[in-house]
Amino acid sequence: MPVSSLTASDLAQVTRVAELIRSHQSFLIVGHVRPDGDCIGSQLALGLGLRALGKQVRVYTPGPLMRHLTFLPHAHMVETALDMSFEPEVTAYVDCGGRDRAGQDFEPRGRIINIDHHLSNDHFGDAAYVNTRATAAGEMVYDVLQHLGVELTADIASALYLAIMADSGSFKFSNTVTRTFEIVTELVRAGASPSWIASEFYDTQRPGTLWLKGQILSHLHYECEGRLCWAEITQEMYERAGGESCEPEGLVSELRSIEGVEVSVLIHELAEGGARAGIRSRGTWDVNMIATELGGGGHRNASGCFIRGNYPEVRDRILDVARRHLAQPPAAQQVTAG
Amino acid sequence: MPVSSLTASDLAQVTRVAELIRSHQSFLIVGHVRPDGDCIGSQLALGLGLRALGKQVRVYTPGPLMRHLTFLPHAHMVETALDMSFEPEVTAYVDCGGRDRAGQDFEPRGRIINIDHHLSNDHFGDAAYVNTRATAAGEMVYDVLQHLGVELTADIASALYLAIMADSGSFKFSNTVTRTFEIVTELVRAGASPSWIASEFYDTQRPGTLWLKGQILSHLHYECEGRLCWAEITQEMYERAGGESCEPEGLVSELRSIEGVEVSVLIHELAEGGARAGIRSRGTWDVNMIATELGGGGHRNASGCFIRGNYPEVRDRILDVARRHLAQPPAAQQVTAG
């Protein structure tokens, strides 16, 4: 086997999931709301794999299913309306950090499988494979299908490639490790086309999204000697761009990557008043502290908050807190607030 | 060996290069003008590898050496001023499509090695390894070092990872194949850090570059029912952004990736008058025909031209030719012009 073995603990989990799959015949595979490339790719690969074993399979996500997620072979298998007459023996959650991620109204039927890599996952279900070291849920579906002896067809490989490529930021995030590339090698060998998948997934930008991105990039604000970079998206901008679905993805992280910038803040005016903000840092700045002070939270280098109220006042409050943190060195920030 | 074997023809070339290296003691490793990640990564890896064999090595590129290329361990080995007193037994060209790519004034000394993957390479030198199927020159340096039995240290692996990541567009271009990932797996196993290298290489954007990108993205022109997208960068915009070095990389390709766009054109006003234009297409449009009609050329999906004269007139001429081509279906375009 060219791919590194699983740890004993992971193998035990995979074995239990595989046993539950082998001993049942009908499956509902569910993903999370606002599915991403990992979610759809993992669901589709598991669905195709179980069908190859002769199982009855339906694949469901609450959606919305964006165009850049529906290019894969057999993507039409993914349903966004739940057929209530379907009574599966097993409900398999994929890439869901918790049961509630499959939608508020969703009720599982039959026994429950849980395949996921989120820290928040509490190992719910009758058979759970939770591996927070996995690059993507797709990598874990790969493990399960290998254990089941499912042949790696080009269609399954393509779905898994999408999952891993998407959740690793095209192999740029820190979850990209040796085993990631070991598996990807097998996927490409089995027929996944890296350039085709990347092109279908990334190269479908809407004119309104690019216009909005352009407006933001040409109106960036630099403060604190260039260490703080912030920008805002107002409702007026959203209206001109074609609505909030035109929000450019990953922009607040891109702002963090500017020379000299240590903390970036992207503030969105909300239609109902107030704002939500994404806050990012690199290096030692703990932006979770900034977000926590604003009633939000997250991780050390990536946090966010959501504040109701008068927009200009809320925006200024967010910026004031960020400025105050940046006025002291990162080490002092930790000591003071920690 | 976990990495696929070379073809017999490639192996014969690698063997000759390795023999020439084994039988000599001092080397000058040269790259091309405006070196990119592949060039610097390949040069550095070859330099470190030959030093590990006890050879005397100097590494030279005519430059300029941008900041995002100098983060690797031992990057200080790369010199941009040539020490004329150094008399190497061998000059090794890396990633140079021709001898002239190492700079107009550069004269090789001693015997010549040529390691490159460009179509234009005519196999010059005493020992040439030219492989146009290689993802990057870095992949070929990997082949040579493996053949020489050089240990893959973390520093060599990091340099090769940069080379392959950069020339594959972070594994998005069509040169990304099974062997790419086989080699990358070995590099990461040897200690290359994908996220660190990607962050150092990609996350160093200048404020002026982002402002310019923002201006362009919020002033895109769509014509021919949205199939043609064009934009311009005037000298006034360059001046405000901080000079022509603030040109955003890869932008004309990004414009091609907008929903519905088939051909993209980015026109740069030149300081000395006239314009240069990058022209990109996806699918069946042959933009080489558009560029050829304008006195330029290139490839089917990526071409360019350079025209002297009055800027507004030159810009309009470029756009008129593009519009005329897009007025007919791609098949007809080929029949008429081919």
Side-chain angles (χ1 to χ4, degrees), chain A residues 182 189 203 205 257 259, chain B residues 182 189 203 205 210 257 259:
Chain A
E182 288 175 344
R189 186 173 285 144
D203 293 354
Q205 301 203 74
S257 76
E259 261 186 24
Chain B
E182 287 176 344
R189 185 172 286 143
D203 294 355
Q205 301 203 72
L210 283 178
S257 75
E259 262 186 25

Side-chain angles (χ1 to χ4, degrees), chain B residues 136-147:
Chain B
E139 195 172 301
M140 306 170 66
V141 169
Y142 172 89
D143 294 333
V144 169
L145 295 181
Q146 289 292 107
H147 198 274

Side-chain angles (χ1 to χ4, degrees), chain A residues 216 219 221 230-234 237 265-268 311 315:
Chain A
I216 299 163
H219 294 89
H221 303 265
W230 68 271
E232 63 180 335
I233 312 182
T234 62
M237 289 162 75
V265 182
L266 182 60
I267 305 170
H268 304 253
Y311 174 67
R315 178 194 58 197

Side-chain angles (χ1 to χ4, degrees), chain A residues 243-265:
Chain A
E244 297 198 13
S245 64
C246 281
E247 179 186 337
E249 273 182 59
L251 195 57
V252 65
S253 299
E254 194 173 335
L255 303 189
R256 165 179 60 179
S257 76
I258 301 169
E259 261 186 24
V261 170
E262 293 166 8
V263 171
S264 64
V265 182

Side-chain angles (χ1 to χ4, degrees), chain A residues 141-155:
Chain A
V141 169
Y142 172 89
D143 294 333
V144 170
L145 295 181
Q146 289 292 107
H147 199 273
L148 285 165
V150 172
E151 188 204 348
L152 196 59
T153 64
D155 290 349

